Amino acid sequence: MLSVINLKKYFPIRGGLLSRTRAHVQAVDGVSFRIAEGETLGLVGESGCGKTTTGRALLRLVEPTAGRVIFHGQDVLASRGGRLRELRRHMQIVFQDPYGSLNPRMTVRGIVEEGLIVHRLGNRRQRLAQVQETLQRVGLDPSYLDRYPHEFSGGQRQRIGIARALALKPRFLVLDEPISALDVSIQSQIINLLVRLREEMRLTYLFISHDLSVVQYISDRVAVMYLGQIVETAPSEELYAHALHPYTQALLSAIPTLDPVKRLSRIVLPGDVPSPVNSPPGCRFHPRCPWAKEVCRRQAPRELDLQGHLVRCHAVEKEVLGGGDYRLPKQRTLE
């Protein structure tokens, strides 16, 4: 359904008397992945690694600097006018903040109906019926039509945001950390709702999150992002059982657990995440990687395909091809 090819998004840093561009924040730098129809791809990584920017660039909520986004054979980045509007009808987003993403001056009906009006779908009565049906689908009472966002809880507001995205009956949804701002007791309800909607409406998801436990539950495949680049992609079960990249292993070891043995075996990465303005040469992870060698500092690793398990790591490549003095980090199996 969706192919992303070498996607880049650089934000200019301006300064000086004439506000000239002095540098760029390389928020997304050469990201490529594919999502099959009906599949959920989880996109994970530390805060600031470029996950949200990637999701927004797919929909052109921020204009990409370079790359291609192909949706059902059509180039999203090359589309203009009515063609782009038609594509956007089938590609929607659910934002992270259920408070800031809803217009406080609009009623529930106005929020959910707005997309139908923009795309000129149906008359007033048909749009009202569609809004009521969508609210029922996400677990809200249609009698809430004339209420305002401030009258709802956080979980109800996120359901309104989901209803707004579903009103146009899209085929692809970007879910930008849809539960991170909610109480723990509500998070499971929203996740189960998203799973049910995916089955009922045959939706395809890009699920962006930093909660690896949730990503494991909802995703078919998982892509791990670090400093604007994807370093590992694999089916969910394979990644959680046999992570190859040292950064992925560190993320998995940070998952909260009650097992004292696993808590003692956590991988603590040294140093801080480098600045995306001045990314390290070679492998971007090498300043924090305990297994880094000289080649990691000089040369960026290529993508290695191990029967559908994609990874960018010199250590893994040397292990697979043989030779070298690398010792791969111990694989950690999550129960």
Side-chain angles (χ1 to χ4, degrees), residues 202-222:
R202 298 181 180 179
L203 296 169
T204 302
Y205 291 158
L206 174 64
F207 188 85
I208 299 170
S209 180
H210 60 265
D211 190 331
L212 293 171
S213 300
V214 173
V215 171
Q216 182 182 20
Y217 174 72
I218 196 173
S219 301
D220 300 303
R221 287 188 303 125
V222 180

Side-chain angles (χ1 to χ4, degrees), residues 57-235:
L58 299 183
L59 308 182
R60 291 180 63 180
L61 297 181
V62 295
E63 283 294 332
T65 304
R68 300 182 67 196
V69 178
I70 309 299
F71 180 73
H72 274 292
Q74 299 187 60
D75 193 335
V76 177
L77 306 187
S79 300
R80 298 289 184 273
R83 185 180 176 187
L84 177 60
R85 176 180 293 183
E86 181 63 23
L87 283 174
R88 281 179 164 165
R89 175 184 172 184
H90 299 290
M91 305 172 70
Q92 293 292 309
I93 185 171
V94 176
F95 295 99
Q96 175 181 358
D97 184 5
Y99 296 88
S101 61
L102 302 180
N103 190 333
R105 299 186 179 184
M106 295 179 67
T107 63
V108 172
R109 175 177 178 174
I111 291 171
V112 180
E113 186 183 29
E114 186 176 21
L116 299 172
I117 296 175
V118 169
H119 288 270
R120 302 183 179 91
L121 299 177
N123 54 38
R124 183 178 177 85
R125 184 168 57 184
Q126 291 170 332
R127 291 197 301 268
L128 175 60
Q130 178 64 30
V131 171
Q132 291 174 327
E133 177 188 342
T134 305
L135 289 179
Q136 287 181 324
R137 191 183 290 272
V138 300
L140 291 175
D141 195 316
S143 63
Y144 295 162
L145 281 173
D146 296 321
R147 296 187 183 183
Y148 290 86
H150 72 270
E151 300 179 65
F152 297 94
S153 66
Q156 289 175 317
R157 291 189 191 197
Q158 194 61 291
R159 290 175 187 267
I160 296 172
I162 295 172
R164 174 177 58 187
L166 294 179
L168 293 171
K169 297 183 178 179
R171 306 176 69 178
F172 172 67
L173 281 184
V174 174
L175 303 171
D176 183 15
E177 304 200 36
I179 64 170
S180 63
L182 305 178
D183 294 337
V184 175
S185 59
I186 305 300
Q187 290 180 1
S188 61
Q189 298 178 23
I190 299 299
I191 287 297
N192 290 331
L193 171 65
L194 293 172
V195 171
R196 177 173 60 81
L197 292 173
R198 181 182 61 185
E199 301 301 323
E200 291 179 356
M201 303 182 69
R202 298 181 180 179
L203 296 169
T204 302
Y205 291 158
L206 174 64
F207 188 85
I208 299 170
S209 180
H210 60 265
D211 190 331
L212 293 171
S213 300
V214 173
V215 171
Q216 182 182 20
Y217 174 72
I218 196 173
S219 301
D220 300 303
R221 287 188 303 125
V222 180
V224 182
M225 199 166 181
Y226 181 79
L227 207 62
Q229 296 182 341
I230 291 179
V231 297
E232 187 169 7
T233 306

Side-chain angles (χ1 to χ4, degrees), residues 13-83:
I13 299 176
R14 305 183 188 277
L17 184 62
L18 300 177
S19 295
R20 293 177 178 174
T21 300
R22 305 173 67 91
H24 288 88
V25 176
Q26 301 173 14
V28 179
D29 192 17
V31 166
S32 299
F33 57 84
R34 294 183 177 183
I35 307 178
E37 188 164 0
E39 184 182 37
T40 297
L41 176 67
L43 187 59
V44 303
E46 293 173 296
S47 297
C49 70
K51 305 186 300 295
T52 293
T53 303
T54 298
R56 295 192 177 199
L58 299 183
L59 308 182
R60 291 180 63 180
L61 297 181
V62 295
E63 283 294 332
T65 304
R68 300 182 67 196
V69 178
I70 309 299
F71 180 73
H72 274 292
Q74 299 187 60
D75 193 335
V76 177
L77 306 187
S79 300
R80 298 289 184 273
R83 185 180 176 187

